[in-house]
Amino acid sequence: MKLIVRVWRQQNAQEKGRFETYEAQDISSDMSFLEMLDVLNEQLIAQGHEPIAFDHDCREGICGMCSLVINGRPHGPDKGVTACQLHMRRFKDGDTITIEPWRARAFPVVKDLVVDRSAFDRIIEAGGYVSVKTGSAPEANTVPVPKPAAEDAMDAAACIGCGACVAACPNASAMLFVAAKVAHLSDLPQGQVEHKARVQDMVQAMDHEGFGNCTNHYECMAACPKQIHVKFIARLNRDYLRATTHP
Amino acid sequence: MAGSGLMLLGFVVLHLLGNLTIFLGPETLNAYAEKLRHFGLLLWVARVILLAAVAVHIWAAVVLTIENRRARPQPYQQYVPAATNPAALTMGLTGILLLSYLVYHLLHFTWGVAHPQFFGAQDALGRRDVYAMVVRSFEIPWVALLYVVGMAVLCFHLSHGMASTCQTLGLSTERTRPLFERIGGMIAGLIFLGYSAIPVAVLFRMVRP
Ligand code: HEM
Ligand code: FES
C-alpha cells in the first residue's frame, strides 16, 4: 500500500520543530509499524533526505523504547500493544498517519520522535529498589509470598517504563508509572523495609521532574501497553497519605 | 482539592435539606431560617469555615491548572482521548460557572442586591420572610431558569468530583471504583433534582406565595 505520513521533525532540543509530510511507498500489510518507518527512511535516504529518528530496541513489546503517538494515541489505536507490535494491516491504502513524539516538559525532544526519558530513571533512583544481601541466591521459599500478593506484584511489574501514561495524560502526569513501581515492591515482604520512605521519595522526585498532577482522567490506563490498572494510583495515594501522616 | 471539596459537598447536602423545607410551607422554612440565625457565633464560625473551604478549593484548582498546563508546553496536534469524560475535562469551566452562580446567589438571597424588591419582607410573626422571598423570585421565569442551569452545572461538576475524590483519597479499588462512579453520578443527579424542584415547583404554581 501507499501511505501519507505526517511526521514531527525537530533537529534538536533547541529547534522549534515542524510537521513534514511524506509518501511511504510499497508498504506491506504484514509489516510492523516500525518496519514501515524503516522502509520510509530507506526511501528518504534514496531521495537525499535525512531519515526520521525514532526510538526502538526489542521490537517485541518488552523493552519500552518505542514511543510514538500515532493518530493521537500513544502506541497507536490498539489496546494493550506497543507501537512496535502494531501492524500495518490496521491501516488502509491511502491513509494519512500522523506521528508525534511523547509531549511533556519532563520528556524533552532529543530529535524528531526521540524523547529523553531519563526523568523516569531519576524517579527510580529515588526509591525504586530494595536493599538485599547480595551473594548466592537464597532458597526460594525462605520468604513466603501469598499468591494474591505475588499476582498483584506481577501485574504492577508488567510496566516497561515506556512513558505512554505520561504521553496520554491530559496533564502529562507520571502517576501510573510511579504507582506501578511502588506497588510491585510494596506488595512483597522484601519491599516493606523502605516502603514509607520510598513512597515519599519517589513522589517527590516525580514532582521535581515537572510532571503534571493526576486529576483522574484514566487516560493512562487506556494507553498503557501493559494495561496497568489505575487501582495502583489509588493505592499510591493511600500509601502516601499514610506515610505523610504516620511517619 | 479532595478535602475542601468534601466540605463543600457537605454544605450542599445540608443546604438542600434546609431548602426543601419550603415544601412544608412558609411556617417551617421561616422558622428554620430564624433558628439558623439564632446560632449567632456558631453560624459565623460555620461561615468562616465554608469561606475557607471555598478559598482552598479555588487555590488548589488554580495551582493544579497552572502546573498541569506547564507540564505540557507543546500540545499535540492530534489528541484522541479514550477514557476521560466531558465532566472531567471541564472541571475548571464548571468551577468558574459555579463561582459566578454563587456570587449571584449571595447577591440575591443573602445581601439583597440582585432583586432588592423581594428582600427584607417580614412575616406575621416578624421573622424574615424567606419563603416569600424565594417564591416571589422564582415566579420570574428567567430567575428560575438561571437556578436550574446553575444546578445542572453543579451536578456536572459533582458527577466527576465525587468519584475522583474517592480515587485521590485512595479509597477506591479495582472493584469499587466503577461503583463509586455510579454512586457519585446518582448523588449528583439527586442533588440536581432536589434543588431544581424548588424553582420548577414555584414556576408551575405548585408552591404558591
Ligand atoms: C434552588 C436552589 C437554591 C435555593 C432556593 C437556595 C436558597 C438560599 C437562600 C434562601 C439563602 C439565604 C438564607 C437566609 O439568608 O436565611 C441561601 C444562602 C446560601 N446559599 Fe443557597 N440556595 C440554592 C442553591 C445553592 C447552591 C447550589 C449553593 C452552593 C453551590 C448555595 C450556596 C449558598 C450559600 C453559600 C449561602 C449563604 C449561606 C450563609 O449566609 O452563610 N445555594 N440559599
Ligand atoms: S521496541 Fe521494545 S517495546 Fe517497542
Side-chain angles (χ1 to χ4, degrees), chain B residues 33-203:
Chain B
E34 188 72 7
K35 192 160 265 166
L36 275 187
R37 236 145 242 275
H38 279 153
F39 280 122
L41 187 64
L42 215 61
L43 177 65
W44 278 101
V45 170
R47 281 175 168 169
V48 168
I49 293 175
L50 202 59
L51 192 66
V54 171
V56 169
H57 203 66
I58 293 174
W59 174 79
V62 169
V63 171
L64 270 183
T65 307
I66 291 174
E67 286 187 359
N68 291 349
R69 289 260 167 87
R70 212 182 276 155
R72 177 164 294 139
Q74 168 101 42
Y76 289 106
Q77 185 154 81
Q78 202 177 352
Y79 177 76
V80 183
T84 188
N85 58 68
L89 287 171
T90 53
M91 289 303 272
L93 177 69
T94 49
I96 290 170
L97 289 175
L98 274 179
L99 185 64
S100 351
Y101 163 80
L102 190 63
V103 170
Y104 166 70
H105 180 52
L106 290 176
L107 286 172
H108 182 186
F109 286 145
T110 303
W111 299 322
V113 177
H115 305 281
Q117 69 273 33
F118 307 128
F119 197 75
Q122 299 198 333
D123 66 5
L125 293 175
R127 297 174 302 204
R128 277 182 75 237
D129 198 349
V130 175
Y131 182 88
M133 172 173 76
V134 172
V135 172
R136 288 288 176 212
S137 302
F138 289 156
E139 278 176 348
I140 309 172
W142 70 262
V143 175
L145 192 71
L146 205 64
Y147 270 78
V148 174
V149 171
M151 294 313 104
V153 173
L154 174 69
C155 170
F156 208 52
H157 194 77
L158 288 178
S159 71
H160 173 69
M162 281 186 277
S164 187
T165 299
C166 294
Q167 175 82 357
T168 300
L169 295 181
L171 302 172
S172 53
T173 64
E174 184 166 6
R175 212 162 29 83
T176 54
R177 194 179 57 92
L179 202 69
F180 286 143
E181 260 157 35
R182 217 163 317 135
I183 295 173
M186 266 156 46
I187 296 177
L190 283 178
I191 288 175
F192 170 72
L193 289 178
Y195 273 119
S196 301
I198 299 168
V200 168
V202 173
L203 203 56

